[in-house]
Amino acid sequence: MKKFKFITALAVCGLALQVASAPVYADYAKENAYQPKTHYLAANSDNVRWGNLGIGEPALSVNSGDIVTVEAITHHSGDDYERMIKGDAGVEDIFHWTADEKHEADRAPGVHILTGPIEVKGAEPGDVLEVRILDMNLRPSGNPEFEGKTYGSNAAANWGFLYGDMIEEPKTREVITIYEMESDGSTDWAKAAFSYTWTPQTDPNGVVHETIDYPGVIVDPDTIVKKHDILKDIRVPVRLHFGTMGVAPREADVVDSIPPSYYGGNIDDWRVGKGGTMYYPVAVPGALLSVGDPHAAQGDSELNGTAIETSLTGDIQVILHKKENLNSKLQDLNFPLLETEKEWVIHGFSYANHLAELGEDAQKAIYANSSLDKAMKDAAYKTRLFLMKGMGLTEDEAYSLMSVSVDYGVTQVVDGNWGVHAVIDKTLFAKKETKFVSLRTSFERIGAELTWDNRAKTITTTHGSNELVIKIGSTEGSFNGKAFELVTPVNIDNGVAVANEYFVEMYLSKLLTSR
Amino acid sequence: MKKFKFITALAVCGLALQVASAPVYADYAKENAYQPKTHYLAANSDNVRWGNLGIGEPALSVNSGDIVTVEAITHHSGDDYERMIKGDAGVEDIFHWTADEKHEADRAPGVHILTGPIEVKGAEPGDVLEVRILDMNLRPSGNPEFEGKTYGSNAAANWGFLYGDMIEEPKTREVITIYEMESDGSTDWAKAAFSYTWTPQTDPNGVVHETIDYPGVIVDPDTIVKKHDILKDIRVPVRLHFGTMGVAPREADVVDSIPPSYYGGNIDDWRVGKGGTMYYPVAVPGALLSVGDPHAAQGDSELNGTAIETSLTGDIQVILHKKENLNSKLQDLNFPLLETEKEWVIHGFSYANHLAELGEDAQKAIYANSSLDKAMKDAAYKTRLFLMKGMGLTEDEAYSLMSVSVDYGVTQVVDGNWGVHAVIDKTLFAKKETKFVSLRTSFERIGAELTWDNRAKTITTTHGSNELVIKIGSTEGSFNGKAFELVTPVNIDNGVAVANEYFVEMYLSKLLTSR
């Protein structure tokens, strides 16, 4: 496989790369000029897998540094055919299932629709794949009747934490709640539209599904009773994220999409959203990144079994870090690590690598062996190592810091391999991890031009045919004329427009990308 | 016992109390005018108990509505006698221990120094005691050598989560890290000063403590080796809070202070700080509130066994809610509930009431039976009930909301009865839970006078001899001429100074209080 390497324009311009101060996500290889490209990966039956991740024919092959606009479709779309499937060619294609024809015939052993895999050229086991989430948008309903809206489904399912343990009868009921959002993202909350109790559903092959036991079954509206006026006056803050994203593991070719593990997968951490950066240990050639299980909102724990499961489109940039050039935070990385502007997030699981730890029957055994106590231990071990190796602390320093400042949360208790995450506040490390830089200096370094509109309080940066407009003090912006929400506002400090270096890194590449 | 009831000045002024829109913390009884008083409860050997809470002689008796300035001393002061005991008469008194004399002779069965108990007149089992934390300040070192500083100790102790599971040898070491802060609170972080490994310490009675197995042992500086230059350039964000606060339980007269339970106690949630309001189910006549175990900072999980253990002084207001007047959120309350300006926090434990659930040997048995899985279940049950009874939701509505929006975190894994908490964002309920009110209207309703200084952008409110100055858009303020940090800034909206009703309620009573 031919090796490509990504390069920042820093090198193109002949300027020295400030490795010492550069954040981890900026230290990709510096040889060979390569202009990153944008790709569009539509979701349709050619480009998705259902229920598993692993080895297989790539849906797309990219170079390190490339930006991929990737469509991700929720496997819960069948909970409301009218709102979540009808009129959307891609979703209709994926869900197409008649007595004679089933486009996605293999929906096993898990449940998620995953777009990809995306092959990253040159990726080899031992490397680290960085995935920056530059943008994320709701997918509008394809049904003209629901124009301007996006819907999502929350299923209180049989794998939920309180299933069988309800107060009201029947104690084992499954309930679907459909949530509605403005598809242009103009409101930052979701509202419940209606709910219904799951009734036995007969699929096109005549199999009756007494419970939610198979993904993509289209619920027959004539079999259910819709309850309206639910969750009145309640609005759920939106937290767009990918529930499942990860690379192919080395242990098996086809892996159940439900339990998360060292390769990422179904982590179900709502922080894996816009402005977040994931780091995955590459385990197979080409990395083979899968993206899916999009969520509009989820709380830490995903208690009843699901989030607000909806369809989203994200702009992700993939950056390959070669084994020989890994910085101290990424060396020997053996878990999915999240970075945001303000935090590092360590993901622990009941089993750090359930495929390797639980033997041949691992993919089934994991469901009977999960525990938050184990996940807590795993998260603690990983945090300790991250602080020691990544931040250069002694064990005693790391352990003290973990107790007085690191917040441990319950990621999920519904995915087989239960999760506990550790949130490490970057301000602990002051300037070492949160450095504010001049926007002008940073953007001009890549040859971009900046103009300042004093009346509108906007900065316009152009590079080639790309134009990024940033409004000072707000997250409003536009990219190539299209409204674009920034991760964080850019502020004026002593007359200079400054932003966190993390922010600048996030958008430099977008500006550099050729279409 | 004579019953006193607190009354807001709303009734004094003859204005109707807006019960429907008033937050839960404002609905205390409305009969009989009573002017709340301020009390000062110093920490000394007369006013503290060590290692336990429960029935006993009150250190102070107050009426509902009264404000108590309460000093709380850390039981870890002996980790650095020079910085944390010497020159501070109260602390010296409490820690006084020679071969012949030990002021606090009974340090059992737990470890915390608790100021109190505070009797609340008229409190009876079935009532709910509300405790608002109006202010909280670091206690300056009493040693002139360390003037202007406050110190805290973090002990990586034998009850820590990774004890015996360390990477470096000896794997079973205990390490003390001393942190330093500006005692005037002018910086919002702590920095490590030095650390040392615990060595066997001989107490005044000749008993050798190989490990940290008894509270209040003064560490002999000649027996330890101090390591300086640790945690270099790292600053820990300060989160002042009471690790332990709670009422006396009904099950036993003397209860180990370590495991938290339905009556509160050692919850170790860093959110129990300034601006927070706790609600406890009253279990014995007089409620008997204990306050202590002050922390300068802690992460969710308190991983190594302790926080930054320091001494603090808090202003708390206690408000009694009689059984017959409880609103839907407080009815049948059977756990310590936290409210902040933006959140409701539900506290779950491995055992909701370990004293009742684990039989006669409960106080010992709890240490062998803890698990996050159980605590998660308890937190989920409690959240469900809170949303159903407190917010009027159906079970299906509550369960969906819990999954799509409630964040579950690991409170602690080191206190015997392990904790998981649920954070419920008030914005879910929009105006029902987060109502912005005019500062002028609110304060004038109690007969306070407001003046506005346009140049300084300050609002001065006076009531009797009390004066509260608020600076617009900042948390800087003063109370009776003394600098006072507000919980949240007051902002101008359409020319009107507005604040969250929660904020206004927090400070109304302070202004009303007679000294």
Side-chain angles (χ1 to χ4, degrees):
Chain A
M1 210 175 279
K2 200 176 166 198
K3 284 186 200 174
F4 284 80
K5 288 185 181 178
F6 179 60
I7 176 170
T8 69
L10 295 173
V12 178
C13 303
L15 290 166
L17 183 66
Q18 293 176 305
V19 176
S21 67
V24 60
Y25 42 83
D27 69 348
Y28 27 86
K30 307 156 210 79
E31 307 127 43
N32 315 316
Y34 172 72
Q35 182 83 351
K37 286 194 179 70
T38 54
H39 307 265
Y40 196 96
L41 187 56
N44 53 48
S45 62
D46 288 338
N47 290 341
V48 304
R49 289 163 65 151
W50 199 325
N52 61 78
L53 39 75
I55 306 290
E57 188 61 34
L60 178 71
S61 186
V62 303
N63 288 301
S64 174
D66 285 0
I67 293 175
V68 184
T69 299
V70 56
E71 296 182 355
I73 305 300
T74 176
H75 54 295
H76 278 273
S77 301
D79 294 342
D80 190 338
Y81 178 87
E82 287 289 314
R83 287 170 180 77
M84 298 172 72
I85 299 180
K86 193 175 172 183
D88 185 319
V91 186
E92 284 180 349
D93 179 17
I94 292 167
F95 277 77
H96 181 81
W97 182 6
T98 62
D100 306 322
E101 198 181 35
K102 189 178 178 186
H103 284 182
E104 289 293 325
D106 299 321
R107 308 179 184 183
V111 297
H112 307 95
I113 298 171
L114 297 173
T115 308
I118 299 169
E119 177 192 45
V120 181
K121 292 174 191 164
E124 291 162 309
D127 297 345
V128 168
L129 186 67
E130 172 181 348
V131 181
R132 296 181 188 172
I133 305 173
L134 302 176
D135 200 9
M136 206 176 254
N137 290 290
L138 292 168
R139 185 180 183 100
S141 173
N143 186 340
E145 205 183 321
F146 303 105
E147 204 186 329
K149 304 289 181 189
T150 293
Y151 294 88
S153 168
N154 170 246
N158 59 72
W159 59 90
F161 194 66
L162 297 183
Y163 183 72
D165 202 2
M166 302 299 273
I167 298 169
E168 294 164 10
E169 294 292 343
K171 289 191 161 49
T172 54
R173 69 189 182 275
E174 294 178 304
V175 175
I176 303 287
T177 304
I178 301 295
Y179 286 86
E180 179 183 291
M181 293 150 282
E182 302 299 317
S183 61
D184 62 359
S186 58
T187 54
D188 46 9
W189 57 79
K191 300 203 73 165
F194 59 87
S195 70
Y196 62 87
T197 301
W198 184 269
T199 54
Q201 299 294 322
T202 307
D203 73 26
N205 299 125
V207 178
V208 177
H209 301 274
E210 300 281 344
T211 62
I212 306 172
D213 62 359
Y214 188 79
V217 171
I218 308 288
V219 171
D220 177 355
D222 293 338
T223 66
I224 56 165
V225 179
K226 287 187 186 177
K227 230 188 210 168
H228 292 275
D229 286 325
I230 56 158
L231 289 164
K232 230 170 148 258
D233 299 325
I234 288 180
R235 48 193 211 184
V236 176
V238 160
R239 296 167 161 179
L240 303 187
H241 62 282
F242 292 127
T244 306
M245 183 159 73
V247 294
R250 76 179 71 82
E251 287 77 6
D253 288 358
V254 176
V255 178
D256 182 351
S257 69
I258 296 173
S261 200
Y262 77 93
Y263 49 83
N266 190 31
I267 302 172
D268 281 329
D269 180 353
W270 57 264
R271 296 161 191 82
V272 183
K274 180 171 178 172
T277 296
M278 288 295 302
Y279 301 92
Y280 303 101
V282 175
V284 305
L288 300 179
L289 180 73
S290 295
V291 182
D293 187 26
H295 293 169
Q298 189 209 291
D300 279 334
S301 87
E302 204 184 19
L303 201 81
N304 77 3
T306 60
I308 296 181
E309 312 279 328
T310 194
S311 295
L312 295 171
T313 299
D315 284 351
I316 61 172
Q317 182 183 32
V318 293
I319 295 163
L320 182 63
H321 299 263
K322 293 302 292 176
K323 191 179 181 177
E324 53 276 20
N325 296 326
L326 297 176
N327 69 19
S328 62
K329 293 194 190 77
L330 299 184
Q331 259 169 38
D332 306 317
L333 183 72
N334 61 358
F335 64 89
L337 169 67
L338 169 65
E339 181 181 13
T340 69
E341 187 183 351
K342 293 180 180 162
E343 296 160 347
W344 288 97
V345 183
I346 311 289
H347 292 105
F349 308 108
S350 298
Y351 292 85
N353 178 348
H354 68 289
L355 298 177
E357 290 171 77
L358 290 175
E360 273 190 33
D361 203 31
Q363 299 210 42
K364 282 182 183 161
I366 186 62
Y367 290 97
N369 282 287
S370 264
S371 137
L372 284 178
D373 296 324
K374 294 178 191 170
M376 180 71 207
K377 193 68 76 133
D378 184 46
Y381 288 156
K382 287 170 176 169
T383 313
R384 177 171 62 183
L385 265 187
F386 179 81
L387 290 174
M388 290 175 72
K389 297 186 59 176
M391 298 297 181
L393 302 184
T394 67
E395 185 174 31
D396 289 335
E397 289 175 318
Y399 194 32
S400 181
L401 213 53
M402 287 156 75
S403 196
V404 304
S405 73
V406 176
D407 290 322
Y408 288 82
V410 176
T411 330
Q412 48 74 28
V413 287
V414 293
D415 295 335
N417 202 6
W418 292 2
V420 167
H421 56 270
V423 178
I424 303 171
D425 181 350
K426 282 185 181 175
T427 63
L428 280 168
F429 309 99
K431 283 193 180 168
K432 193 180 162 197
E433 292 290 317
T434 51
K435 194 181 161 194
F436 282 79
V437 295
S438 151
L439 212 65
R440 177 174 293 278
T441 309
S442 303
F443 280 76
E444 282 183 352
R445 205 180 267 162
I446 62 161
E449 281 180 30
L450 271 81
T451 55
W452 162 247
D453 182 335
N454 198 38
R455 264 221 337 235
K457 305 286 178 211
T458 55
I459 291 174
T460 301
T461 65
T462 52
H463 187 277
S465 60
N466 290 329
E467 183 190 74
L468 177 66
V469 182
I470 293 167
K471 184 161 187 187
I472 294 295
S474 111
T475 56
E476 281 175 47
S478 71
F479 186 68
N480 293 338
K482 204 183 140 223
F484 180 70
E485 204 196 346
L486 300 165
V487 167
T488 188
V490 171
N491 292 308
I492 301 291
D493 182 25
N494 280 322
V496 178
V498 295
N500 192 324
E501 191 169 21
Y502 181 90
F503 169 95
V504 173
E505 284 293 324
M506 268 266 162
Y507 296 115
L508 272 180
S509 329
K510 198 166 166 82
L511 209 55
L512 276 172
T513 310
S514 65
R515 285 170 297 163
Chain B
M1 209 174 279
K2 200 177 165 198
K3 284 188 200 173
F4 283 77
K5 287 186 181 177
F6 180 60
I7 176 170
T8 70
L10 295 176
V12 177
C13 302
L15 290 165
L17 185 65
Q18 295 175 306
V19 175
S21 67
V24 59
Y25 42 83
D27 70 348
Y28 27 86
K30 304 157 210 86
E31 307 127 42
N32 316 315
Y34 172 72
Q35 182 83 349
K37 286 196 179 66
T38 56
H39 307 265
Y40 196 96
L41 187 57
N44 54 49
S45 62
D46 289 337
N47 291 341
V48 304
R49 288 163 66 152
W50 200 324
N52 60 79
L53 40 76
I55 306 290
E57 188 61 32
L60 179 69
S61 186
V62 303
N63 288 301
S64 174
D66 284 2
I67 292 176
V68 184
T69 299
V70 55
E71 296 183 358
I73 305 300
T74 175
H75 55 293
H76 278 272
S77 301
D79 294 343
D80 189 339
Y81 178 87
E82 287 289 313
R83 286 170 180 77
M84 297 173 72
I85 299 179
K86 193 176 173 184
D88 185 320
V91 186
E92 284 180 348
D93 179 17
I94 293 167
F95 278 77
H96 182 81
W97 181 7
T98 64
D100 305 322
E101 197 181 36
K102 189 180 181 186
H103 284 182
E104 289 294 325
D106 299 321
R107 307 179 184 184
V111 298
H112 308 95
I113 298 171
L114 298 174
T115 308
I118 299 169
E119 177 192 43
V120 181
K121 291 174 194 165
E124 291 163 308
D127 297 345
V128 168
L129 187 67
E130 172 180 350
V131 181
R132 297 179 187 172
I133 306 173
L134 302 176
D135 200 9
M136 207 177 252
N137 290 290
L138 292 167
R139 186 181 182 99
S141 174
N143 186 340
E145 205 183 322
F146 302 105
E147 203 187 330
K149 303 289 181 190
T150 292
Y151 294 88
S153 167
N154 170 247
N158 58 73
W159 59 89
F161 194 67
L162 297 182
Y163 183 72
D165 202 4
M166 302 299 274
I167 297 168
E168 294 163 10
E169 294 292 343
K171 289 192 162 46
T172 55
R173 70 191 182 275
E174 294 177 303
V175 175
I176 303 286
T177 305
I178 301 294
Y179 286 86
E180 179 182 290
M181 293 149 281
E182 302 300 317
S183 61
D184 62 359
S186 59
T187 54
D188 47 8
W189 57 80
K191 301 203 70 163
F194 58 87
S195 70
Y196 61 86
T197 301
W198 184 269
T199 55
Q201 298 294 322
T202 307
D203 72 27
N205 299 123
V207 177
V208 178
H209 302 273
E210 299 281 344
T211 61
I212 305 172
D213 62 0
Y214 187 79
V217 170
I218 309 288
V219 172
D220 177 356
D222 292 339
T223 65
I224 57 165
V225 179
K226 287 187 186 177
K227 230 187 210 169
H228 292 275
D229 286 326
I230 56 159
L231 290 164
K232 231 170 147 258
D233 298 325
I234 287 181
R235 51 191 208 184
V236 176
V238 160
R239 295 168 164 178
L240 304 187
H241 62 282
F242 292 126
T244 306
M245 182 158 72
V247 294
R250 75 180 71 83
E251 288 76 8
D253 288 358
V254 177
V255 178
D256 182 351
S257 69
I258 297 172
S261 200
Y262 77 94
Y263 48 84
N266 191 31
I267 302 173
D268 280 330
D269 180 353
W270 57 264
R271 295 161 191 82
V272 184
K274 181 172 175 170
T277 296
M278 288 296 300
Y279 301 91
Y280 303 101
V282 174
V284 304
L288 300 179
L289 180 74
S290 295
V291 182
D293 187 27
H295 292 168
Q298 188 208 292
D300 280 334
S301 85
E302 204 184 20
L303 200 81
N304 77 2
T306 61
I308 296 181
E309 312 278 329
T310 194
S311 296
L312 295 171
T313 298
D315 285 351
I316 61 171
Q317 182 183 31
V318 293
I319 295 163
L320 182 62
H321 298 262
K322 294 302 292 177
K323 191 179 181 176
E324 53 275 22
N325 296 325
L326 297 175
N327 69 20
S328 62
K329 294 195 189 75
L330 299 184
Q331 259 168 38
D332 304 317
L333 183 73
N334 61 358
F335 64 89
L337 170 68
L338 169 65
E339 181 181 13
T340 70
E341 188 183 349
K342 293 179 181 163
E343 296 160 346
W344 289 98
V345 184
I346 310 290
H347 293 105
F349 308 109
S350 299
Y351 292 84
N353 178 350
H354 69 289
L355 298 177
E357 290 171 77
L358 289 173
E360 272 190 34
D361 204 31
Q363 299 211 41
K364 283 183 181 160
I366 185 64
Y367 290 96
N369 282 287
S370 265
S371 139
L372 284 178
D373 297 323
K374 292 178 192 171
M376 180 70 207
K377 193 70 73 136
D378 184 45
Y381 288 155
K382 287 170 175 169
T383 314
R384 178 172 60 182
L385 266 187
F386 179 80
L387 291 174
M388 290 175 70
K389 296 186 57 174
M391 298 297 181
L393 303 184
T394 66
E395 185 175 31
D396 289 335
E397 289 176 318
Y399 194 32
S400 181
L401 212 54
M402 287 157 76
S403 196
V404 304
S405 73
V406 175
D407 289 324
Y408 288 82
V410 177
T411 330
Q412 48 75 27
V413 288
V414 293
D415 294 336
N417 202 6
W418 292 3
V420 166
H421 56 272
V423 178
I424 303 171
D425 181 350
K426 283 186 182 174
T427 63
L428 280 167
F429 309 99
K431 282 194 180 168
K432 193 180 161 198
E433 292 290 317
T434 52
K435 191 181 164 194
F436 281 81
V437 295
S438 151
L439 212 65
R440 178 174 293 276
T441 309
S442 303
F443 279 75
E444 283 184 350
R445 205 180 270 163
I446 62 160
E449 281 179 28
L450 270 81
T451 55
W452 163 247
D453 183 334
N454 197 37
R455 265 219 342 235
K457 305 284 178 213
T458 53
I459 291 173
T460 300
T461 64
T462 52
H463 187 275
S465 61
N466 290 329
E467 184 191 74
L468 178 66
V469 181
I470 292 167
K471 186 163 183 184
I472 294 295
S474 109
T475 57
E476 281 175 49
S478 71
F479 186 68
N480 293 338
K482 206 184 137 218
F484 180 70
E485 205 196 345
L486 301 165
V487 167
T488 188
V490 171
N491 292 308
I492 301 291
D493 183 26
N494 280 322
V496 178
V498 296
N500 192 324
E501 190 170 21
Y502 182 90
F503 168 95
V504 173
E505 284 294 323
M506 268 266 162
Y507 295 114
L508 272 181
S509 330
K510 198 167 166 83
L511 208 56
L512 276 173
T513 309
S514 65
R515 284 171 296 163

